[in-house]
Each structure stands twice: as C-alpha cells, then as structure tokens.
Amino acid sequence: MDLESIEKDALEDLNQVTAVSDMETVYIKYLGRKEGRLTVILRNLGQLPPEEKKKVGQEANRVRASLEEKFSEKKALLESASLLTHLEKEKVDWSLPGLEFHRGTAHPILNAIREISDIFRKMGFDIAEGPEVETDQFNFTDLNIPENHPARDMHDTFYLEGSRVMRTHTSPVQVRIMRSAQPPIRLISPGRVFRHEATDATHAAIFHQIEGLVVDQHVSFSDLKAVLAHFSEVYFGTQTRVRFLPSYFPFVEPGAQMDVQCFLCQGTQKNSSGQACPLCKATGWIEMLGAGMVHSQVFRNVGIDPEKYSGFAFGMGVERILMTRSQVRDIRYFLESDIRFLRQFK
Ligand code: FA5
C-alpha cells in the first residue's frame, strides 16, 4: 500500500539526515503543504469511496502523526548533538598555561637617559631640549670651531641644504640657551647626535649625549669635577674606577675628559687569552665624556660677559655609560631590535 511505502521511505530518508539544516527538505518531501507525498493522499481522500475513505483516512492520519513525532524527535536529537559538539569545541582547558602578554617597555637608552637625568635633577639641574637639525653656526662657529678649523674633521657629519647639519653633539644647546637666558644657568640637555663615523664596538654613527651647562658667578673647575665625581659615584657605584685627564675642545679652556675603566679587561688591556682587549683597544679605559670651563670666546659669541661670569660644560656619551654599567660589549647592540638583548634590561 502507498501509505506503507511512504512511511518506510520517510523513515529511511530521516535516518540519513545528519544535520538539522537538511531536515526541511525531507519534511517537505513527505509532509510539505503543497506536494508532500502524504499531504497529497490526505488531500485526495474525498475522491475515494466512503468505505476506503475511512480506512485510508485513519491510516494516513496515523502515519502523519507518527512521522511528525519522528521528525521532532530527530530534530531534538540533532540539535542536542550539535550543541554538544559546539560545547566540546568551546571547552576551556583551565590547566593550559595562559597566553603571555608582552608589554612594551622603554628602550634601555631612554631609561638610561631618564636615570642619568634624575641624578642631575637632584643636583638642581633643569632639563632643556634642542633640535637634531642644527645650524652650522650653532653646531660649530659659535662654539669656537670656525670653518676650516681642524676640529671639524672629528665631527664630520651629514650636511643638509642651507648651512644646516645633523648635529654632531649636544653642545649647540649650550649656545641656544646662553643666547636666550641670562645666568644663573644650570641645566642638562639629552638628545640624539649624528656623525659620519666608521662604526666599531664603541663608535656608532647615531648615538646619544647628555650635555651639561652651568654658568654663574664664581663657577670653578673644582665644581665641575665635584659634579662629575658625584654623578659617577651614584651611577656606577664607588667600585668603578674613573679618571679625569686633560683634553682639548675648542669651546672650553681648560678642557678635560673623563674615562671609565674598561669592564671587559678590568684595565689589564688584555682579554683572557692574552690578546689586546677589543673593547678599549688595549688602553684599559673607555672615554665617557668631554668637559671643561666655557671658553671666553663662546661667552662673547652668545653675549655673556666673560669678566663677570664663568661656567663649565660637559657632554657625555649615554651608550658608553650604559655599556659600562650593564657590561654590553658592543655599542651596535643598542641599534638592533633584538628582543633577547632588550629583555635583559627589564
Ligand atoms: C663632544 O662631543 C663634546 N661636545 C663634549 C663636550 C661638551 C666637551 C661640553 C666639552 C664641553 P666627544 O666627541 O669627545 O666630545 O664626544 C663626547 C662623548 O660622546 C664621548 O666621550 C663618548 O662618550 C661619546 N661618543 C663620541 N663619539 C661617539 C660615537 N661615535 N659613538 C658613541 N659614543 C660616542
């Protein structure tokens, strides 16, 4: 009988269904309002002779009720199965290690600048900034380094159009400040500087300096020495040896430099295999800063009376100072963004 095969076919089709989304097609095929195989039979009952009409009608209704029930059972089954797979997928394994979130930090050089600046701030120094693109006049001429002066050779730089240069040191900030402010002046100025330089373990072409300038009445060379000695004691500790020796810079008189003992060879000038220390080039010392008393010509260039005022200045290399304290063997590491190197400074 038709009804029997409809029920059988419908149940078989239903059996094949594995997703709720596929049930609709099967449902329509048998129970759809227009063309459903069972629906058509029910709709045409009226055309049957009364005896058969009753029999077929009863059976057709039973099949319909049974199929409806089977469909909703299957639907419920599929829905709970898909919910389970969904939950399974979303299951959280609380025993797994968490995802580590790496927070960015300031670059070690920036941190060193902050730390060094703090030491000077506690000694009463203000902080000033100057531009990285400087005029030839402020970078050289006003600092008593006229054109064709041999000192310009040591500061070979990147020249720009219109007598502008990438500053070779932070000393032009001295000029800018002294031109705009009257003494007393007591400030430091950290910043980036640029030199056309053959790089090696202690020389980079882009590095950082911190300039210091004090101008007042009766400022003496011993004030300079005391300030620098205090700085090195606080920053390096009392165990690190430093030395203060004469040097030449056209914008100071007298001029000096401060060296720090090479941490790699401990001043012995040799490495562990007895060869020349590659870091300090077998000198036992690393130059840390240049300094001196502000030259009277510089005072005249910026409009400060050298008879009334005196002052000292210094310019320290931030990378060299940090290298010494953190025992970094090559300045070029600071320019690479190798996270393994940077993480050591946390
Ligand atoms: C100067 O730049 C002077 N302006 C310093 C100064 C300021 C003297 C005020 C007197 C008064 P110098 O070229 O020596 O001097 O550089 C100063 C410091 O910068 C050095 O002692 C060193 O620590 C660092 N330095 C110099 N050249 C390099 C380089 N190529 N790479 C990394 N650090 C450097």
Side-chain angles (χ1 to χ4, degrees):
M1 182 180 155
D2 237 10
L3 283 171
E4 222 170 278
S5 66
I6 289 176
E7 187 173 19
K8 195 168 148 267
D9 292 352
L11 291 177
E12 259 168 31
D13 281 358
L14 198 58
N15 236 351
Q16 305 291 318
V17 173
T18 52
V20 181
S21 54
D22 295 336
M23 284 200 50
E24 176 94 351
T25 331
V26 182
Y27 186 89
I28 289 174
K29 186 170 165 192
Y30 298 97
L31 297 164
R33 278 207 279 155
K34 281 188 190 154
E35 302 295 330
R37 279 173 68 187
L38 190 61
T39 319
V40 171
I41 289 182
L42 284 163
R43 195 185 302 136
N44 295 336
L45 275 180
Q47 292 164 16
L48 295 175
E51 202 43 33
E52 235 177 294
K53 187 170 148 185
K54 193 176 165 206
K55 209 173 127 214
V56 176
Q58 270 178 357
E59 185 58 7
N61 276 323
R62 185 199 60 79
V63 172
R64 181 169 65 178
S66 156
L67 285 182
E68 288 283 2
E69 197 183 318
K70 292 273 165 19
F71 267 90
S72 39
E73 272 171 16
K74 177 84 182 197
K75 194 172 172 215
L77 196 77
L78 288 177
E79 274 171 355
S80 69
S82 96
L83 182 68
L84 273 180
T85 12
H86 192 69
L87 287 178
E88 194 63 36
K89 261 197 238 152
E90 295 218 325
K91 201 162 91 176
V92 177
D93 182 351
W94 300 105
S95 67
L96 281 176
L99 292 176
E100 219 183 316
F101 177 68
H102 293 296
R103 208 151 55 120
T105 52
H107 191 276
I109 292 295
L110 178 57
N111 278 333
I113 289 175
R114 287 176 177 161
E115 196 180 339
I116 295 168
S117 302
D118 264 357
I119 297 172
F120 284 100
R121 227 197 316 248
K122 284 184 184 142
M123 285 192 264
F125 284 72
D126 287 331
I127 298 182
E129 283 198 334
E132 292 175 356
V133 174
E134 213 14 300
T135 61
D136 184 280
Q137 184 187 349
F138 289 177
N139 195 80
F140 294 122
T141 321
D142 280 357
L143 287 168
N144 210 20
I145 317 176
E147 225 170 309
N148 303 320
H149 190 290
R152 287 205 182 197
D153 282 353
M154 288 191 283
H155 287 226
D156 195 7
T157 186
F158 304 99
Y159 284 88
L160 306 170
E161 280 173 4
S163 300
R164 287 178 189 269
V165 297
M166 297 307 291
R167 67 176 174 188
T168 57
H169 51 173
T170 41
S171 298
V173 185
Q174 285 185 42
V175 176
R176 288 178 174 272
I177 297 297
M178 288 192 285
R179 276 175 173 273
S180 61
Q182 279 299 304
I185 295 168
R186 192 193 294 163
L187 54 85
I188 55 164
S189 181
R192 191 158 30 192
V193 302
F194 309 81
R195 288 187 196 176
H196 184 67
E197 187 104 64
T199 56
D200 62 20
T202 53
H203 291 83
I206 299 177
F207 58 100
H208 296 78
Q209 289 188 338
I210 297 183
E211 193 76 11
L213 174 70
V214 172
V215 183
D216 203 346
Q217 288 178 327
H218 316 299
V219 175
S220 71
F221 197 76
S222 53
D223 294 329
L224 167 63
K225 209 176 160 192
V227 163
L228 294 179
H230 176 73
F231 160 73
S232 88
E233 257 185 51
V234 176
Y235 191 75
F236 295 121
T238 44
Q239 301 302 311
T240 303
R241 291 188 64 197
V242 293
R243 69 176 184 183
F244 203 59
L245 65 158
S247 186
Y248 171 73
F249 301 94
F251 37 97
V252 288
E253 179 59 34
Q257 74 181 54
M258 202 170 181
D259 296 352
V260 59
Q261 195 171 64
C262 175
F263 67 86
L264 196 58
C265 67
Q266 308 275 356
T268 62
Q269 307 173 3
K270 295 189 178 86
N271 68 9
S272 48
S273 14
Q275 287 154 334
C277 175
L279 187 62
C280 61
K281 304 202 180 67
T283 60
W285 297 92
I286 295 174
E287 187 195 319
M288 176 167 82
L289 59 87
M293 301 305 290
V294 180
H295 198 289
S296 54
Q297 186 57 46
V298 174
F299 276 146
R300 279 190 289 275
N301 291 344
V302 297
I304 289 181
D305 182 0
E307 300 300 323
K308 189 169 169 198
Y309 293 106
S310 58
F312 67 75
F314 57 84
M316 52 176 68
V318 179
E319 280 80 356
R320 298 241 186 120
I321 288 171
L322 181 57
M323 280 171 81
T324 297
R325 203 180 66 173
S326 299
Q327 315 224 319
V328 176
R329 289 156 180 251
D330 197 306
I331 197 169
R332 288 165 290 197
Y333 285 131
F334 291 121
L335 293 165
E336 289 168 9
S337 40
D338 188 332
I339 206 84
R340 292 166 303 176
F341 170 71
L342 296 172
R343 285 229 179 98
Q344 296 177 73
F345 289 87
K346 260 187 202 166

